[in-house]
Amino acid sequence: MRYAQIVLTLLEPTSPTEAALAAADDITREQLHHLDLLDDGTATTLYEMSGNVDRVREITAADDALIDYQISAGTDRITVYAHFEPSEELTELLEFVRTSELILDMPIEYTDDGRVRALVIGQADTFQAALANVPGPIDVELARIGEYEPESERLYAQLTERQQETLLAALEVGYYRTPREATQRDVADYLDRSDGTVGEHLRKIEATVLTAIAPQ
């Protein structure tokens, strides 16, 4: 079975909430853990974001397109469940996924420029034809294609874009070699980021991986 990692650009915001969250400089949208079109034409989603939870509450409360929502704030993450009236553009995309015999793997990740990076899975004989028929209002950039390996792809996809960049940089400079050939400072210099930021990303990467492989 084949997979493609694609970067999607929706030409219009999917909702007033989506537009306001994207514009807020004190909120970072991290991942979408769920996105589904219901039989009545409404949609549900589960956002993961970080930043100012009070601002998130203010934005969601102001959106009349939200039928229902719940907000949960943890130590460094904010989770928002929303039941909403989707835009025509988003409806087209979700209908396309539903009828194309492709599977949209979760979570879907937000990129630094506000687009979304998604993993799409399907049979080889229907894959290219389906991607060629993505609805017109949506721009698709093909990032990579290959054979689907569920566990490794899903675990890597759980990391944010910055965490993925940090992991690849740490591997490149030898931070995870035995014996260790680089320090956290070396990783930070490689990425031209602060030592504290890289340290936080490395801790979250390790927590994600260890949580995934530890017996439950």
Side-chain angles (χ1 to χ4, degrees):
M1 190 154 48
R2 305 286 282 174
Y3 80 87
Q5 187 179 66
I6 59 175
V7 179
L8 298 174
T9 303
L10 299 177
L11 304 183
E12 296 291 339
T14 60
S15 70
T17 293
E18 181 76 16
L21 291 172
D25 57 11
D26 53 353
I27 298 169
T28 300
R29 297 172 301 162
E30 304 284 358
Q31 295 179 331
L32 277 173
H33 290 273
H34 170 83
L35 181 61
D36 192 26
L37 186 67
L38 305 183
D39 291 339
D40 64 0
T42 65
T44 56
T45 189
L46 187 65
Y47 280 104
E48 179 187 336
M49 58 194 75
S50 57
N52 187 334
V53 66
D54 291 332
R55 180 72 175 127
V56 172
R57 290 193 177 104
E58 177 187 338
I59 289 171
T60 50
D63 187 357
D64 293 336
L66 288 179
I67 300 167
D68 186 26
Y69 67 90
Q70 297 179 28
I71 300 173
S72 176
T75 303
D76 59 355
R77 281 295 181 269
I78 304 162
T79 302
V80 179
Y81 162 82
H83 180 199
F84 63 104
E85 298 283 353
S87 66
E88 182 178 341
E89 189 175 45
L90 181 59
T91 298
E92 282 189 59
L93 174 61
L94 295 178
E95 287 283 10
F96 165 76
V97 172
R98 179 183 285 182
T99 60
S100 64
E101 299 183 7
L102 296 177
I103 297 171
L104 193 58
D105 201 28
M106 295 293 176
I108 298 171
E109 172 196 346
Y110 284 98
T111 66
D112 287 343
D113 59 3
R115 298 184 294 170
V116 293
R117 179 178 290 114
L119 196 68
V120 180
I121 307 155
Q123 297 292 339
D125 57 351
T126 61
F127 196 74
Q128 294 290 357
L131 287 182
N133 290 302
V134 173
I138 298 151
D139 180 63
V140 178
E141 174 188 324
L142 184 62
R144 57 192 174 107
I145 191 169
E147 291 298 323
Y148 183 55
E149 298 177 7
E151 295 306 320
S152 63
E153 291 294 341
R154 184 173 294 110
L155 183 55
Y156 184 72
Q158 288 180 25
L159 305 178
T160 67
E161 183 179 19
R162 287 295 181 93
Q163 289 168 3
Q164 290 174 356
E165 291 173 351
T166 302
L167 174 60
L168 295 177
L171 292 170
E172 177 68 23
V173 301
Y175 182 80
Y176 285 115
R177 291 184 192 139
T178 304
R180 183 165 284 173
E181 298 178 3
T183 65
Q184 184 174 295
R185 178 70 261 169
D186 294 325
V187 180
D189 289 343
Y190 184 92
L191 292 168
D192 193 24
R193 294 180 189 153
S194 73
D195 192 31
T197 297
V198 166
E200 181 181 2
H201 286 323
L202 289 172
R203 288 191 295 274
K204 289 180 178 177
I205 291 166
E206 292 160 6
T208 298
V209 173
L210 292 173
T211 299
I213 66 175
Q216 301 299 312

